[in-house]
Amino acid sequence: MKVLSAAVLKPAFFWLLSLLLSSLVWFIAVKASNEKDAELQKSLIIFGVMFSVLLQEVFRFAYYKLLRKANEGLAALSEDGKSPLSVQQMAYVAGLGFGIMSGAFSVVNILAGSVGPGTVGIFRDSQYYFLTSAFMTMAIILLHTFWSVLFFDGFENKRWVAVVAVIATHLLVSGLTFLNPVYEGSLIPAFVIMVLMAAWAYFTAGGSLQNLQHFFMCKENK
C-alpha cells in the first residue's frame, strides 16, 4: 500500500505542475485584459480550461517518457533483461495519480464554496449541485486512469488514433462542464464517454469478454 501511495504521488506532482503553469498563463491573460468586459472574461475562462487540458496531456506525455527511460534502466539491471513493470501497470498508476489529484482539487473548490457565506439552493440554484459535482469528480478520476492506459499504449505501439481520442475526449468532457447548471447535459455525456473509454482501456490492457464472463460468474481463469 505504501509503495502504491508513493507511486501515485509522482504523477500527481506532474499534474500539479501543469495546473500551476496553466493557472499562471490564465492569470497573466486576465491581468493583461479588460477585467470589466464580462464576455472577454468568460472567453478567457474557456481558454484557460482548454489550455489546461492540453498542458495536462503534455505533462502526461512527459511522465510517459520519464517512466519509459526508468523502465529501460530497470531492464538493463535485471538478470533476464526484462523490466519488472509493464506499460499497463505504469499507465494505471500514472492515470490514478493524475485523477486523484484532479479530483482532490475539484472537491476542495466545492467544499470551499459550501461553507458560505451563501447557501446552495438560494436564488434558484440547483439543489443537486453537490451530488452532481461528486459524480462528475468520480467520472474525471476514472477517466484519467482510462486515458493514461490508452495514451501510454498509443505511444508504445504507435496507435495514434488512441492518443488523439484521449486528447479529444478530455477536451470534450472539460467543455461539457460549461453546460452547468444543466447537469443532465454534462453528466450524462461524461458518463457515456467514461463507459466507452473504460471498455477501450480494458481491451487495450489485454482484457477479453471471456475474462468478464468468468469475473461475473466468479470462476477462475484456467
Side-chain angles (χ1 to χ4, degrees), residues 8-76:
V8 167
L9 285 175
K10 294 175 183 178
F13 176 72
F14 272 68
W15 186 90
L16 280 174
L17 283 178
S18 71
L19 178 66
L20 175 64
L21 290 177
S22 58
S23 299
L24 182 61
V25 170
W26 174 80
F27 180 78
I28 293 172
V30 169
K31 290 301 179 182
S33 63
N34 183 5
E35 296 184 24
K36 295 181 180 180
D37 190 337
E39 287 297 321
L40 177 60
Q41 294 306 312
K42 184 178 179 180
S43 299
L44 286 176
I45 290 175
I46 296 173
F47 160 76
V49 171
M50 297 298 109
F51 180 76
S52 176
V53 168
L54 294 175
L55 201 58
Q56 286 177 49
E57 297 306 327
V58 169
F59 273 80
R60 198 193 305 271
F61 175 71
Y63 192 67
Y64 162 75
K65 295 296 287 184
L66 179 66
L67 286 179
R68 199 74 185 82
K69 290 292 183 183
N71 216 27
E72 291 173 0
L74 289 173

Side-chain angles (χ1 to χ4, degrees), residues 15-16 19 22-23 26 45 49 52 56 100-118 120 129-130 133-134 137 140 177:
W15 186 90
L16 280 174
L19 178 66
S22 58
S23 299
W26 174 80
I45 290 175
V49 171
S52 176
Q56 286 177 49
I100 288 175
M101 189 54 66
S102 175
F105 266 77
S106 299
V107 170
V108 165
N109 289 333
I110 293 166
L111 293 179
S114 70
V115 298
V120 174
Y129 171 70
F130 292 109
S133 298
T137 300
I140 291 294
T177 59

Side-chain angles (χ1 to χ4, degrees), residues 81-154:
K82 296 181 181 180
S83 172
L85 297 175
S86 66
V87 175
Q88 287 84 3
Q89 289 173 321
M90 295 189 299
Y92 174 76
V93 173
L96 198 59
F98 269 63
I100 288 175
M101 189 54 66
S102 175
F105 266 77
S106 299
V107 170
V108 165
N109 289 333
I110 293 166
L111 293 179
S114 70
V115 298
T119 303
V120 174
I122 298 178
F123 300 119
R124 295 188 295 274
D125 286 335
S126 174
Q127 60 181 323
Y128 301 113
Y129 171 70
F130 292 109
L131 184 62
T132 53
S133 298
F135 275 106
M136 181 59 81
T137 300
M138 180 188 72
I140 291 294
I141 293 173
L142 293 174
L143 275 168
H144 269 294
T145 306
F146 305 145
W147 283 331
S148 285
V149 172
L150 295 171
F151 194 84
F152 280 35
D153 180 76

Side-chain angles (χ1 to χ4, degrees), residues 50 136 169 171-180 182 185-191 193:
M50 297 298 109
M136 181 59 81
T169 51
L171 287 168
L172 178 58
V173 171
S174 297
L176 286 172
T177 59
F178 290 110
L179 297 176
N180 294 336
V182 185
S186 60
L187 200 59
I188 294 174
F191 267 77
I193 293 171

